[in-house]
Amino acid sequence: MSKKITVKLFASLMKFLPVNSTKSHGFDYKIDETTTVGYLIDDLKLPRNVIHIVLLNGVYLDAETRDETPLNEGDTLGFWPPVAGG
Amino acid sequence: MSWTKKVLRINLTEGTCTPEPLNMEWAELYLGQRGLATKYLTEEVPPTTDPLSPENTMYMITGPLTGTMASTAGRYSVVTKSPLTGAVACSNSGGFFGNEMKCAGWDMVILEGKSPTPVYISINDDKAEILPADEIWGKSVWEADEWLHAKHQDPQLRIAAIGVSGEKGVLYSAIINDLHRAAGRSGVGTVMGSKNVKAIALRGSKGVTVNDPKAFFEATTAAKKVLAENAVTGEGLPALGTQVLMNVINEMGAQPTHNYKESVFAGASKISGEAMLEARDSDGKPNLTRNAGCFACTISCGRISTIDPQHFSVQNKEDLHPSYHGNSGGLEYEAAWALGSDTGVDDLDALTYAQFVCNEQGLDPISLGSTIAAAMELFEEGVITTEDTGGIELNFGNAEAMIKCTELVAKGEGFGLELGQGSARFCEKHGRPELSMTVRGQEFPAYDPRSIQGMGLGYATSNRGACHLRGYTVASEVLGIPIKTDPLETEGKAGLQIAFQNATAAFDSAGICIFTSFAWSLEDVAPQLDAACEGEWTVERLSEIGERVWNLERLYNDAAGLGGSADKLPPRMVSEAVTSGPAEGKVNGLDKMLPEYYAERGWSPEGDVTAETKARLGL
Ligand code: SF4
């Protein structure tokens, strides 16, 4: 059974958004039962050397463990390069 | 070197401009800018002084690196006793004013006393004059800027001025230099207005000398390389500016919304840095025109933007300054959250307009937005009505109301004068002091301290009242700089805050921008100072200076009655849990962090600087 999640790409990662994605810098994405964050990063061809902050439903995923993190129906996954401001 | 070792003391009561030597003994201990001017303040202005009386003094001061080729070396600070908080005020600004002061041969310009009539200060190298400003009193910063350039027939003149709000006693008025760079917080513009000073116009032709030019060239080149190769300072800040934070802070559930009732704002992405790049329907242009940099800056985080010509804020308003119909400075994140998510307004053009007004009339957009948000909550609770607001329907999300309030505060008119007293006084007056999101009377910045625990400790202990620029642990807790810590955890945050606070005080005393600290540590700053200045400037010495400056500020506040007893957060932050998002159910654990903070600072359990700590730091 497939699941639907929302993927959001921010700052310089916006250039990896599919054409026509308008949903708050993001898009809906269908995944299958076993998809992990690591699998999704590669599937979307996101540049691993640029990704710095990954938030799953707003919670930070550690670089060491995020690849194995499973995804569930309705999840929101956000990606950022290194950013700061103030 | 690289101090000019000269101070210009202007006594407005007497009408005199007197040069004097910089106190180099103090410079050895406090470096420059924030630290050194605070030392002058503590020696010259008793902590109990009425901030708006002639007895208060205002120090405009550069750092030793200001005016040099070090990256971001255009900074100056304004130090005084704050009328908003009663505590020490230190507001830092970029642009081109600081380096011009240094090039004119002055480390610091001191304004003391009070002029009997409106004046401006003209400084052209050694020549300093107090001149009449009757023609620009009552005018905006931008109008004053034009008038001064025309009068002196000098396009290179660098000007810092106050707007009408500062003349009228709005307590969070800013000093604006170079049209849209602000010494923004704590009402330093109000103090300038209370002295009847409209502007300072500077022209310097002397240049700045450094102690060891070859070593300095090498050190600054190496440090610039660090900035260029860092993803934040080399790429992120130039592309999206401070507004890059809007989405990340919102997604992680720390976006102050509706006067801090909520921490997730549905409209955040519409007012974010990313949204500023999107083409709008009316003319196909994006809000953002280009980025902009201060003197010698190799980061260039500044924003130059336009308002949609069809937006209600500018449409059919012929009397607006032409900049509203063209390009001007903004939108920055701190203005965007305070005037935006905190008031519930998700209209990018309305926010850009409000930021332009803040620049034109010299206002701190954080205190302004936060005070409007508090007033909105009081309005929605029925504590105030349209009778109080002069007919404004002050509901959350009402962009027209936010703009109307901004315009009224900017001009110090009607309901605007009441809002201009800040949220602490406003909420107190209406019998609901607990709805003011302030510490020491200064409004919170953009991070919910229930979702980012270390920032709660930072706000509570910040010497100039709630502030993000005193100890930006967001860098670590959210952004992973230099290392990632858990934002919901209180453990270890005391040490983290202290490290950030001390290092920031050292950066702020050097003449460089704090944004360099996303890539630089004191290891990068020390060689630049060591080459620029006489004597030995090591990382250890700078760390000690940072700690000394922090403690000196604290001692001043203690004596003003704003020490340990003021290290508090509003009840909402410590007893009302976050209602949604990743931090749901959390309150700030200040009670856990504060005792540890006091102990690690070497203070008493009541938060007093102990005799041993004073002796250790030579205070
Ligand atoms: S980083 Fe931004 S605020 Fe700092 S000096 Fe550069 S342009 Fe100015």
Side-chain angles (χ1 to χ4, degrees), chain B residues 239-250:
Chain B
L240 285 137
T242 54
Q243 268 275 71
V244 75
L245 287 173
M246 179 69 73
N247 280 314
V248 68
I249 299 299
N250 191 57

Side-chain angles (χ1 to χ4, degrees), chain B residues 72 75 181 292-294 297 299-302 513 515:
Chain B
T72 76
R75 312 297 298 191
R181 284 284 156 189
C294 304
C297 180
I299 301 172
S300 293
C301 76
C513 178
F515 284 1

